Amino acid sequence: MDTAFRTPPHSTTTEGAPRTVGVEVEFANLDAPSAAAVVRSLYGGALEPEDPHRCRVTGTRLGDFAVELDMRSAHPGKTEESDAGPLGKAVGKAVDGVVEALRPWWGNIGSLVMPFEIAAPPIPIDRLAELEPLFAALSAQGAAGTDASPLFAFGLHLNPQVARTDGDYVLDHLKAFLLLAPWLRREIRVDPTRRLTGFIAAFPVDYAVKVVDPAYRPDLDGLVGDYLEANPTRNRELDLFPLFAHLAPETMAAKLSDPHVRPRPTFHYRLPNARLGDPDWSLAQDWNRWVAVEELAADRDRLDALGTDFRAFAAREALDGWAAEAGRRLAV
């Protein structure tokens, strides 16, 4: 098993601060208070229940963790003010009261098919190994991962902070990801149920062919515009909406309105399975596959050469063999 965490080519930001990574893992068969108790037992801090299906663990040695059922309707939220008159407001409050009373029940039903999720705080890359015991402890407490049921389309999400914020840096990482995505899917053995849900849909081939062209070098606004035109959805293996909302908020706002997009200076890598309960799985395996993307992005000559070859494979309609070719080229 690959248990050593590799360091990417750029381990610090342009300000010299260590880069961080946010990690989110989905699972079943363990409720929020129980999972939060596992977090506290490993990292300390205070357990703060917010509702029957959401807890926070604050002040741990790594920062603040959130544990919740990944189902918005199971959690209380702020009600929006209405312009209705007194009667309308009274009715609205009555309806809100019924909805709030039903949330715990609805969450109990939802927990049968929807995952719970632990969202770790941003952690410096050189401390990622400190999360490995969490995965083992969750498994020991009975947490079930992707492989436990055909209904479990659970994922592991990695949110690496970007080292730079210029368009060339972002573009090189998108190019590298598009070139390695078939290899990543083969190595990860992405669960069939996760493929069917559409949450981690592959990028369109014609878009990939366009972007990996060595001659494709738009500015940041052009990159964002092209991306949104071809991918008007967050449901991609590598979701760049949060990063683009951070880097180019005006361009994003002009083309997209999605209240669920939170601007942040990170890549949102959604492809890996959450294989809790599998003794042959480690966080390091999936992190190191991501590092392969960053290594390719940092080598412009290899990036352009692979881009040219990818386009040739696509022209021959032979992309089924690209995963093996990309793996062979990475091994050289």
Side-chain angles (χ1 to χ4, degrees):
M1 185 192 302
D2 189 1
T3 59
F5 287 80
R6 289 164 56 188
T7 302
H10 303 288
S11 59
T12 61
T13 66
T14 52
E15 291 77 26
R19 287 175 63 200
T20 61
V21 185
V23 178
E24 305 162 21
V25 62
E26 297 173 336
F27 55 90
N29 292 1
L30 201 63
D31 61 21
S34 299
V38 171
V39 172
R40 184 177 60 177
S41 71
L42 290 171
Y43 307 113
L47 198 157
E48 300 178 1
E50 296 187 355
D51 67 57
H53 303 290
R54 175 192 284 159
C55 296
R56 288 168 55 80
V57 186
T58 60
T60 81
R61 61 182 170 86
L62 293 176
D64 296 347
F65 287 75
V67 187
E68 66 179 13
L69 181 66
D70 193 9
M71 182 179 178
R72 293 178 184 275
S73 59
H75 307 294
K78 294 181 180 179
T79 57
E80 296 183 2
E81 291 295 326
S82 171
D83 293 331
L87 178 59
K89 289 185 178 180
V91 172
K93 288 183 178 179
V95 171
D96 288 343
V98 172
V99 170
E100 293 305 314
L102 289 175
R103 284 189 194 277
W105 173 84
W106 184 240
N108 291 338
I109 298 298
S111 66
L112 298 176
V113 292
M114 299 296 290
F116 281 90
E117 177 185 85
I118 291 181
I123 294 173
I125 289 173
D126 63 3
R127 298 186 67 183
L128 271 176
E130 294 182 49
L131 280 183
E132 206 77 88
L134 174 61
F135 290 65
L138 290 170
S139 298
Q141 290 296 314
T146 317
D147 297 337
S149 167
L151 298 177
F152 292 172
F154 301 165
L156 169 74
H157 297 181
L158 301 177
N159 300 281
Q161 179 185 17
V162 295
R164 305 200 321 253
T165 56
D166 58 277
D168 277 344
Y169 173 88
V170 177
L171 176 59
D172 286 343
H173 283 74
L174 176 57
K175 284 174 178 274
F177 182 82
L178 292 170
L179 290 167
L180 295 186
W183 171 78
L184 288 167
R185 287 192 291 270
R186 186 189 69 172
E187 293 296 301
I188 293 169
R189 302 190 303 278
V190 179
D191 184 79
T193 303
R194 298 189 68 221
R195 291 175 180 266
L196 290 173
T197 61
F199 294 135
I200 53 167
F203 287 90
V205 172
D206 58 347
Y207 176 72
V209 168
K210 173 180 179 176
V211 173
V212 303
D213 185 346
Y216 181 73
R217 283 285 157 189
D219 61 14
L220 181 60
D221 284 339
L223 172 61
V224 174
D226 287 347
Y227 182 98
L228 293 177
E229 182 177 353
N231 308 281
T233 174
R234 294 181 296 146
N235 296 336
R236 290 287 183 263
E237 301 162 323
L238 179 66
D239 171 22
L240 293 185
F241 277 16
L243 178 57
F244 287 156
H246 174 79
L247 298 179
E250 294 181 0
T251 303
M252 284 287 289
K255 297 177 179 291
L256 176 78
S257 177
D258 188 336
H260 299 142
V261 176
R262 292 183 300 150
R264 51 187 174 178
T266 66
F267 298 109
H268 185 38
Y269 174 48
R270 309 171 65 179
L271 190 59
N273 300 321
R275 292 167 50 195
L276 292 172
D278 182 345
D280 295 325
W281 179 59
S282 71
L283 174 61
Q285 290 174 325
D286 284 307
W287 168 250
N288 291 343
R289 291 177 184 127
W290 170 258
V291 171
V293 173
E294 295 209 11
E295 289 172 341
L296 178 58
D299 188 336
R300 182 67 64 80
D301 289 341
R302 291 179 67 211
L303 192 67
D304 287 348
L306 277 172
T308 298
D309 292 345
F310 179 95
R311 287 166 57 84
F313 268 68
R316 298 195 303 269
E317 299 183 351
L319 281 179
D320 285 347
W322 180 253
E325 176 66 14
R328 184 185 68 79
R329 299 282 284 274
L330 285 176
V332 173

